[in-house]
Amino acid sequence: GENVEQHPSTLSVQEGDSAVIKCTYSDSASNYFPWYKQELGKRPQLIIDIRSNVGEKKDQRIAVTLNKTAKHFSLHITETQPEDSAVYFCAAPRAGTALIFGKGTTLSVSS
Amino acid sequence: DVKVTQSSRYLVKRTGEKVFLECVQDMDHENMFWYRQDPGLGLRLIYFSYDVKMKEKGDIPEGYSVSREKKERFSLILESASTNQTSMYLCASSLGYRGNTIYFGEGSWLTVV
């Protein structure tokens, strides 16, 4: 089936730096793009999502951008903090099925 | 607050055993899902259900089956467990499966020896 590609697989930044994670999708009918954060030993939890009728959405230090023409969307975290260290997953719905997830990005923020 | 509860957090089973992983949600969601999580492979969809007694295959259904007899409960069944099914299993639910937030349970760590 069609996949969601996510890059990079690991990302290390210094506290206060910005982090960017990128995803591409192939189903042109996809209209909903969530991002999940999974802390060690915990369940994935939604941190932000965007729908196809907008190009950008912000929530404090987190933003998501969407380029439907190029079929890619990105997560931007500014002023990173140690508590941002986690695995981040992007996802997109595939026609006739459920949300399909990327392989995840392990973000490490060092102080 | 949405609650998705997986009855077993940690299980150790023997090769060839039949394994049941149970999941219950309390938000009257129509849709329920089973994902498998492995390092470097992300979250892979095993099966999902959009209604009672309905089921659809995901990307990796081989070796698994599911049961949904009641709206709030979705069970994952390993008919004959194998060592390559050692993994973290995550149940989830949502109001819709294409454009709605899905909520995950805490996960079930299964080790097959």
Side-chain angles (χ1 to χ4, degrees):
Chain A
E2 297 166 353
N3 292 326
V4 175
E5 301 290 333
Q6 181 173 347
H7 299 280
S9 57
T10 60
L11 181 58
S12 295
V13 300
Q14 293 286 323
E15 183 176 1
D17 287 350
S18 295
V20 180
I21 304 170
K22 298 182 179 181
C23 286
T24 59
Y25 62 97
S26 52
D27 182 1
S28 57
S30 294
N31 60 357
Y32 173 66
F33 307 92
W35 286 90
Y36 283 78
K37 176 184 180 182
Q38 186 179 30
E39 297 176 349
L40 192 62
K42 297 190 176 181
R43 74 185 82 193
Q45 292 193 294
L46 179 74
I47 55 171
I48 195 167
D49 57 17
I50 191 168
R51 298 189 185 274
S52 59
N53 57 346
V54 296
E56 184 176 5
K57 182 177 178 180
K58 288 184 179 179
D59 183 2
Q60 300 182 352
R61 297 185 297 108
I62 294 173
V64 56
T65 58
L66 171 64
N67 183 327
K68 286 216 73 181
T69 303
K71 294 184 187 175
H72 66 72
F73 57 110
S74 300
L75 177 70
H76 304 254
I77 306 174
T78 58
E79 300 173 22
T80 54
Q81 300 169 4
E83 53 264 37
D84 293 329
S85 296
V87 181
Y88 292 81
F89 294 99
C90 63
R94 185 196 296 157
T97 184
L99 275 180
I100 302 302
F101 286 81
K103 293 185 177 180
T105 297
T106 301
L107 173 64
S108 300
V109 181
S110 54
S111 55
Chain B
D1 205 17
V2 176
K3 192 165 186 181
V4 180
T5 303
Q6 295 182 232
S7 56
S8 302
R9 290 297 314 277
Y10 304 95
L11 306 93
V12 179
K13 298 293 182 179
R14 295 194 179 276
T15 300
E17 274 193 80
K18 190 169 185 176
V19 181
F20 292 87
L21 300 181
E22 306 286 347
C23 176
V24 177
Q25 50 93 5
D26 67 355
M27 284 303 292
D28 203 34
H29 285 169
E30 292 89 356
N31 303 283
M32 297 189 74
F33 315 87
W34 278 104
Y35 288 88
R36 171 175 170 165
Q37 182 173 12
D38 299 288
L41 296 178
L43 306 171
R44 293 181 292 167
L45 181 66
I46 306 172
Y47 268 97
F48 67 102
S49 169
Y50 52 87
D51 202 354
V52 175
K53 296 191 184 295
M54 304 300 288
K55 61 183 179 182
E56 294 286 345
K57 293 181 180 179
D59 290 334
I60 53 166
E62 297 78 18
Y64 304 95
S65 62
V66 291
S67 173
R68 193 161 181 207
E69 296 296 318
K70 294 184 178 182
K71 189 175 185 180
E72 67 271 18
R73 189 179 297 270
F74 192 35
S75 302
L76 180 69
I77 303 156
L78 288 67
E79 294 288 343
S80 178
S82 63
T83 54
N84 63 10
Q85 292 178 309
T86 291
S87 188
M88 160 75 104
Y89 292 89
L90 286 160
C91 176
S93 72
S94 77
L95 278 174
Y97 63 85
R98 275 190 67 86
N100 295 75
T101 303
I102 69 170
Y103 298 90
F104 285 94
E106 293 282 3
S108 297
W109 284 98
L110 172 65
T111 301
V112 183
V113 297

